[in-house]
Amino acid sequence: MPGLSSIQRKKRYLLIPFGLLLLSIAYVLWGESVLFEQKVDFNAEIRPILNKKCITCHGGVKRSGDFSLLFRSEALGVNESGKRAIVPGDVEASEMIHRIKHTDPEERMPPEGEPLSQEEVNLLSRWIEQGAYWEDHWAYVKPEPITPPEVESDWVNNDIDKFILQTLNTKNLQPSAEADKATLLRRLSLDLTGLPPEQELIHKFLSDSSDQAYEKAVDYLLASPRYGERWAAMWMDLARYADSKGYEKDDHRNIWQYRDWLIKAFNEDKPFDLFTIEQLAGDLMPKPPKGQDESRYIATAFHRNTMNNDEGGTDDEEFRVAAVIDRVNTTWDVWQATTMACVQCHSHPYDPIRHEEYYKFYAFLNNTSDADVPSESPNLKQFKREEDQKKLEELKNWVITHTASADDKLTQAQQIVDMVRFTEPKFHPKNFKELTKGALADGKYLEVDDGGYAIIPDYTLTGKNELLISYRAPQGGGLVEFRKGGLNGELLAHWKVKKADKGWGKSVVTSIPLKPTEGRHDVYMIFKDPGRKGPLCSIEWVLFHTSLPGAEQPQYTEMKQAFLSLLNKDEVEKTPVMVERPADFRRKTHVFVRGNWMVDGEEVEADVPHAWPAMAEGAPKNRLGMAQWLVSTENPLTARVAVNRFWSQLFGIGIVETVEDFGTQGAKPSHPQLLDWLAMQFMHEHAWSIKKLLKQIVMSATYRQSSKVRPQLQEVDPANRYLARGPRVRLTAEQIRDQALAVSGLLSTKMYGPSVMPEQPEGIWQVVYSGRQWKTSEGEDQYRRGLYTYWRRTSPYPSMIAFDSPSREFCVTRRIRTNTPLQALVTLNDPVFMQAAQALAKRMLHEGGENPKAYINTGYQLAMLKPLSPEKEKALLKLYEEALAHYQAAPEETIKLIEEENHQLAALSVVANAILNLDEFVTKG
């Protein structure tokens, strides 16, 4: 010990044994618990007890005895009895321990079920004695940089394998050998593109013996346009994408452009943070370069996939609120894997989210212009004819040219363009008040008799000099006056109602001059037509706006007519999108008392739950700020949830098995450090690139293992949580159908466009209140990929449902997997699978050689990319011979099956059908 004298050193050495003696005496007197007792792990040991035995009565739903265990501050407070249930450091003073130990069943806690075990009581007592420290659940703690473990093994391909191997070593398990090349390529192709590999890729990969062969295949598949279709199909479940509105009428919805946006976004590898922001708030983002604006609006259709109730007599506000609630729950399901839905009615039973925080988040989504109306406005209107698009450009240039202020030119021009594209903000009839001598026809349209009136309440008229009205009037006639502040108030406008009848559900937009007025006022709409029996017209909406500039110019009338003409165009593609309401239309948000939308509690402002990091300083308190908060690197969950979802798609199970729930009731991560490392990689190293993340995973030795189950694995790890083998899971509904079409040669590579209607059994669509019919598409549209199939919520495509696809009425974050006889009946009898079997049989005949054995081997090779085993060959050959004998004896059956008298083709169709029904064919192995 440099720097110490010899005497000092002697004194120091004497102190060491004396200290050890004191420690030994203390150990004898007070026991091990004081000196060497291990600290109780709150998350691992205490929280599970509280959640299982206590929090049902003492949490977010119930606070029996005014005692709650949801938050530490509540748990340490004085409860209804005047006592404190938990006194940190003092077990004797902690009423909770006394009640848990009580022998009287009237006093003991929990009051029902088995009492706590002695081990659980001891754990709780030690925890209180140690200070009753609370810990945040792991998922609410921001992931920190992690260094991959050091492991020595030639098996390791990348850092993912280091985490996996470290866990396998602790379990005394060995990883599996790499899968054979054909199996691995099929797995990889199905995972990255949702389809089996193309023949060209098969040949290149199997003949390439270089170390780069596998990576070349990965890069090829990631660059394939099929990649975007595969991952869009996954996201469509999250977005609850459907081609219909839902509820009773379940009428058509024109929203296919959102599906196409998804495909393009995945194919161009749009960074996940931007991918998120555009879907949640693309309309609020700064205006991008020309040509990009419409894409961002279409992205917001993510939250226009909520259901819309067109049934007559329904309350539009009730179902608008239902849509906003769905958007709140879906946002938390998709990006935070948090069961927010239960907080609608009360504080979360298990996670640290208070009841009022639900409505603070609801406020972010409560100010959009959609209102559960039949038109589904606001819609992005895109003109199908080039001349109409040119008219819009001319209109924009007119405004720029004739706007006096240089600073306002582009702003005014954009407002006119947006007026044509969205026609917002509208007053819908449900927004009117004091409706007299009138009614809301079908609960949606304003119809008023002579002498009746309705009031447009408290609106700022400053700067408004024109009215737009959307209406229907099969007869025409009558007059509508608009007066300021009362029935006899100043006349602002008068409208002589002209005949307007474009058929049911189609309204005409007309323009009416409005007297310039300052300030906020009630506007009275007074309907006059003496002698008429019945209403003057049917009004869909009213809109106040600023007319075109340049009224003194010769071409003004022509430009105004062009403006009105564009508003009335039928040759348009309309896509429901999100549009934020301006200040005059801004909604207030209240807590719904016990979740009842009709009972308002306190008013709240937009904010995020306190258990999460706060929004960045200066961030807007709207959907854009909320979306930016979600993808902030400070958010502890978004990256974790995303990488876990992609991992589960590849391995069949997530690192967190409960993909939908990262909360305290969700499953624990099988590899927590790997999850956090991947999340950090995704955000920082990959800059939110999904393709880079997927490549990193599929390049690992972990992914490339054989999926064969060894006896030891079956016993120790039957669910493959430790990943000592490769994934083996059934394909999704879409992939099963797509693969059958692909190997048969029927699959169309056509991309994008409206949804199609492939053949399905008769009688599936029996639609109430709708004349819509399932009309089988023609040509190659019958054989397009499953994600293009028309999706009707009340009657989805039957083979999809048989293989566990959802109805898409709500967000589904994880599909269940079942194995039922109905699934085999689908692959054996469904018209599409029968057509695929016949097409595959023709390929077997034309490509398979000169004898039945060769035909059968060719069919199996096309389906599974590997040779047929002798046992399977024998079974399929026997099936072929029996089928051939049957069709030779009953030629009418041959014609019934394949519409021609070719017994060999009919027999091979039966064999092909069996191949397409094999478990290994519908499974990724």
Side-chain angles (χ1 to χ4, degrees):
M1 297 180 184
L4 295 179
S5 68
S6 59
I7 297 174
Q8 286 174 319
R9 285 198 294 271
K10 286 178 183 178
K11 286 182 178 178
R12 184 152 185 169
Y13 290 140
L14 286 171
L15 286 172
I16 293 172
F18 183 69
L20 289 173
L21 177 64
L22 287 177
L23 287 171
S24 301
I25 295 170
Y27 179 83
V28 172
L29 292 176
W30 295 292
E32 182 183 10
S33 61
V34 172
L35 295 174
F36 302 105
E37 182 178 56
Q38 186 176 1
K39 183 181 178 182
V40 176
D41 187 323
F42 177 80
N43 278 328
E45 299 175 285
I46 301 302
R47 193 187 292 277
I49 300 173
L50 300 182
N51 282 357
K52 185 177 180 181
K53 300 291 182 70
C54 310
I55 212 163
T56 302
C57 296
H58 303 288
V61 183
K62 293 172 64 179
R63 294 171 55 98
S64 298
D66 198 27
F67 172 50
S68 170
L69 287 160
L70 195 58
F71 300 94
R72 187 174 192 266
S73 58
E74 295 175 346
L76 301 185
V78 176
N79 58 41
E80 197 176 74
S81 67
K83 300 177 181 179
R84 292 172 66 190
I86 299 173
V87 180
D90 193 342
V91 177
E92 289 300 316
S94 298
E95 182 66 13
M96 184 173 82
I97 300 299
H98 290 301
R99 297 293 293 274
I100 287 170
K101 291 180 175 180
H102 216 294
T103 56
D104 184 347
E106 295 295 321
E107 297 290 328
R108 175 180 66 82
M109 292 294 158
E112 298 176 358
E114 293 294 318
L116 270 64
S117 67
Q118 189 59 50
E119 181 183 2
E120 290 172 326
V121 174
N122 290 343
L123 268 173
L124 289 170
S125 298
R126 285 172 51 209
W127 171 62
I128 291 174
E129 188 176 72
Q130 292 175 4
Y133 293 109
W134 228 264
E135 293 177 357
D136 288 333
H137 179 55
W138 67 266
Y140 306 136
V141 178
K142 176 186 170 184
E144 297 293 340
I146 294 172
T147 301
E150 291 295 329
V151 290
E152 294 294 329
S153 173
D154 294 336
W155 176 76
V156 171
N157 277 345
N158 63 20
D159 287 338
I160 289 174
D161 301 325
K162 295 178 181 179
F163 291 98
I164 299 299
L165 190 58
Q166 182 186 55
T167 301
L168 291 178
N169 288 340
T170 65
K171 304 296 180 183
N172 294 318
L173 293 173
Q174 294 296 318
S176 297
E178 185 168 303
D180 66 84
K181 289 189 76 172
T183 298
L184 186 56
L185 181 62
R186 178 174 181 265
R187 177 196 299 171
L188 181 69
S189 186
L190 287 168
D191 273 337
L192 295 185
T193 70
L195 294 173
E198 303 160 2
Q199 287 299 316
E200 182 183 354
L201 177 60
I202 296 170
H203 175 74
K204 284 183 178 179
F205 180 64
L206 296 183
S207 61
D208 188 347
S209 58
S210 71
D211 292 340
Q212 291 78 40
Y214 180 75
E215 186 172 7
K216 289 177 187 176
V218 171
D219 291 339
Y220 177 87
L221 292 167
L222 288 172
S224 167
R226 311 278 84 83
Y227 164 86
E229 292 176 323
R230 181 267 187 267
W231 293 99
M234 175 209 71
W235 197 265
M236 285 159 71
D237 277 2
L238 303 175
R240 59 271 196 247
Y241 174 89
D243 297 292
S244 68
K245 300 180 185 181
Y247 294 119
E248 182 189 34
K249 286 188 177 180
D250 199 21
D251 210 351
H252 173 71
R253 170 178 285 162
N254 198 68
I255 202 165
W256 57 267
Q257 291 205 78
Y258 169 71
R259 179 243 293 136
D260 288 0
W261 179 88
L262 275 179
I263 297 169
K264 293 170 186 174
F266 278 109
N267 273 336
E268 69 186 40
D269 199 23
K270 191 182 288 287
F272 188 76
D273 55 348
L274 181 59
F275 178 77
T276 294
I277 293 170
E278 288 189 0
Q279 289 183 88
L280 295 177
D283 58 307
L284 297 175
M285 296 175 72
K287 296 296 181 186
K290 186 177 180 181
Q292 300 287 319
D293 191 25
E294 289 187 348
S295 171
R296 288 184 172 177
Y297 275 102
I298 289 170
T300 67
F302 173 86
H303 268 328
R304 292 304 311 277
N305 278 306
T306 45
M307 295 195 291
N308 200 78
N309 196 342
D310 288 349
E311 184 184 354
T314 56
D315 188 320
D316 287 350
E317 180 62 10
E318 177 184 0
F319 289 96
R320 186 198 71 81
V321 167
V324 179
I325 286 172
D326 178 84
R327 289 166 191 165
V328 172
N329 300 341
T330 296
T331 302
W332 282 85
D333 283 342
V334 172
W335 280 279
Q336 301 292 277
T338 297
T339 53
M340 182 63 94
C342 52
V343 192
Q344 177 189 342
C345 299
H346 46 68
S347 293
H348 202 291
Y350 305 107
D351 297 326
I353 311 171
R354 300 179 189 274
H355 179 44
E356 61 271 18
E357 290 178 328
Y358 182 95
Y359 294 97
K360 289 180 179 180
F361 197 86
Y362 178 101
F364 286 120
L365 295 155
N366 193 33
N367 199 43
T368 56
S369 294
D370 57 285
D372 196 68
V373 293
S375 67
E376 298 211 275
S377 65
N379 292 284
L380 171 63
K381 187 187 298 182
Q382 295 167 295
F383 297 106
K384 295 180 179 179
R385 300 196 310 181
E386 189 176 342
E387 55 264 37
D388 292 330
Q389 186 60 41
K390 286 182 178 178
K391 277 186 181 179
L392 184 58
E393 284 297 316
E394 290 173 7
L395 198 62
K396 179 179 179 180
N397 291 333
W398 173 274
V399 176
I400 292 172
T401 303
H402 296 93
T403 298
S405 170
D407 295 335
D408 292 340
K409 286 179 182 290
L410 291 177
T411 301
Q412 295 293 332
Q414 189 62 49
Q415 287 176 355
I416 289 297
V417 170
D418 287 348
M419 183 61 66
V420 173
R421 294 193 304 170
F422 308 111
T423 324
E424 291 291 340
K426 306 184 193 69
F427 278 102
H428 294 283
K430 70 170 188 176
N431 303 124
F432 299 170
K433 67 177 185 180
E434 290 189 32
L435 181 58
T436 304
K437 294 185 71 175
L440 293 183
D442 203 25
K444 314 290 181 181
Y445 305 96
L446 178 68
E447 296 185 353
V448 182
D449 294 342
D450 171 53
Y453 66 92
I455 303 173
I456 298 173
D458 193 30
Y459 182 67
T460 300
L461 295 173
T462 305
K464 310 298 182 184
N465 60 1
E466 196 160 10
L467 275 173
L468 295 177
I469 301 177
S470 177
Y471 75 106
R472 294 195 302 271
Q475 297 177 348
L479 176 70
V480 180
E481 295 179 345
F482 293 81
R483 292 186 176 273
K484 184 176 74 174
L487 293 173
N488 298 312
E490 181 183 355
L491 182 65
L492 300 178
H494 66 277
W495 171 38
K496 291 182 179 179
V497 182
K498 295 181 180 179
K499 183 177 180 179
D501 187 10
K502 295 172 70 174
W504 176 251
K506 292 184 178 180
S507 300
V508 174
V509 178
T510 190
S511 174
I512 305 162
L514 181 72
K515 183 178 180 180
T517 306
E518 298 294 316
R520 299 177 68 94
H521 304 279
D522 288 347
V523 177
Y524 281 66
M525 295 177 62
I526 306 162
F527 295 77
K528 297 181 177 180
D529 193 5
R532 178 192 289 268
K533 292 184 179 179
L536 281 68
C537 58
S538 180
I539 293 178
E540 184 183 11
W541 50 259
V542 175
L543 188 152
F544 297 83
H545 83 110
T546 305
S547 62
L548 297 175
E552 69 286 352
Q553 299 299 319
Q555 289 182 296
Y556 179 77
T557 302
E558 180 184 338
M559 295 308 299
K560 190 169 181 180
Q561 285 300 318
F563 173 62
L564 204 57
S565 171
L566 291 174
L567 289 174
N568 281 292
K569 284 291 178 184
D570 291 327
E571 300 86 357
V572 294
E573 203 69 63
K574 291 183 177 180
T575 304
V577 294
M578 302 289 265
V579 175
E580 197 79 349
R581 290 158 66 96
D584 270 357
F585 286 76
R586 189 163 193 84
R587 296 187 183 98
K588 293 181 179 180
T589 299
H590 294 264
V591 173
F592 296 160
V593 177
R594 297 186 178 181
N596 185 346
W597 72 280
M598 300 181 74
V599 183
D600 284 347
E602 65 173 313
E603 185 179 344
V604 292
E605 297 295 329
D607 206 351
V608 298
H610 282 85
W612 274 255
M615 295 177 70
E617 188 175 349
K621 290 296 183 76
N622 57 17
R623 281 182 290 115
L624 179 58
M626 176 266 287
Q628 291 168 338
W629 170 80
L630 279 175
V631 293
S632 162
T633 54
E634 296 300 308
N635 189 303
L637 276 169
T638 303
R640 282 175 172 144
V641 169
V643 298
N644 189 64
R645 175 167 291 117
F646 289 109
W647 183 278
S648 73
Q649 288 287 312
L650 299 177
F651 287 94
I653 191 169
I655 297 173
V656 177
E657 182 177 359
T658 50
V659 174
E660 70 283 355
D661 187 5
F662 273 48
T664 59
Q665 291 297 93
K668 295 179 181 178
S670 58
H671 301 79
Q673 287 193 316
L674 172 59
L675 178 66
D676 283 5
W677 181 80
L678 282 170
M680 296 296 286
Q681 288 271 304
F682 188 41
M683 288 187 288
H684 302 292
E685 298 300 318
H686 301 329
W688 298 97
S689 165
I690 297 170
K691 284 189 177 183
K692 288 181 180 178
L693 171 69
L694 292 174
K695 180 174 180 178
Q696 184 177 36
I697 296 173
V698 300
M699 288 298 295
S700 69
T702 304
Y703 175 81
R704 293 153 71 170
Q705 295 176 98
S706 166
S707 60
K708 185 177 179 180
V709 182
R710 291 171 275 148
Q712 183 191 16
L713 298 183
Q714 184 64 36
E715 180 181 347
V716 176
D717 186 21
N720 199 29
R721 300 298 288 123
Y722 304 132
L723 296 169
R725 61 176 175 85
R728 189 180 188 280
V729 293
R730 197 195 66 202
L731 301 175
T732 66
E734 294 90 340
Q735 289 172 337
I736 290 170
R737 180 181 179 278
D738 293 349
Q739 184 184 216
L741 292 173
V743 300
S744 69
L746 288 176
L747 184 68
S748 166
T749 57
K750 182 179 176 182
M751 297 179 69
Y752 311 128
S755 296
V756 297
M757 295 183 176
E759 190 172 347
Q760 74 172 11
E762 293 290 332
I764 300 295
W765 273 24
Q766 294 180 353
V767 184
V768 180
Y769 304 129
S770 173
R772 298 194 65 81
Q773 296 179 335
W774 184 275
K775 295 181 180 179
T776 302
S777 300
E778 298 179 353
E780 67 174 317
D781 280 348
Q782 293 185 58
Y783 307 115
R784 296 185 66 188
R785 293 192 67 169
L787 82 162
Y788 297 110
T789 299
Y790 193 96
W791 202 278
R792 195 163 195 270
R793 285 182 160 113
T794 53
S795 51
Y797 195 63
S799 68
M800 300 289 189
I801 295 299
F803 283 99
D804 306 318
S805 64
S807 67
R808 298 214 177 121
E809 292 170 284
F810 302 100
C811 167
V812 172
T813 55
R814 178 171 55 148
R815 291 189 185 184
I816 60 169
R817 290 193 195 97
T818 64
N819 192 354
T820 70
L822 180 60
Q823 293 165 359
L825 290 172
V826 168
T827 53
L828 286 170
N829 298 286
D830 183 87
V832 173
F833 285 89
M834 291 298 294
Q835 292 173 27
Q838 291 169 30
L840 178 57
K842 290 177 181 177
R843 290 192 70 183
M844 292 159 70
L845 267 176
H846 295 150
E847 303 173 27
E850 298 180 355
N851 58 64
K853 186 179 291 188
Y855 300 149
I856 292 168
N857 274 273
T858 296
Y860 185 84
Q861 181 78 35
L862 287 169
M864 298 306 305
L865 314 187
K866 60 185 180 181
L868 185 59
S869 68
E871 295 81 10
K872 290 175 184 173
E873 181 185 79
K874 182 179 179 182
L876 290 173
L877 190 59
K878 182 182 179 184
L879 175 63
Y880 168 78
E881 291 168 347
E882 291 175 351
L884 182 63
H886 169 76
Y887 289 118
Q888 286 174 337
E892 70 280 0
E893 292 292 322
T894 303
I895 295 172
K896 184 178 178 181
L897 178 67
I898 62 173
E899 298 181 350
E900 61 176 289
E901 196 171 344
N902 185 332
H903 308 310
Q904 187 179 46
L905 179 59
L908 283 175
S909 295
V910 172
V911 173
N913 193 227
I915 291 172
L916 299 182
N917 192 53
L918 289 173
D919 178 66
E920 60 185 310
F921 182 74
V922 299
T923 301
K924 179 187 72 176

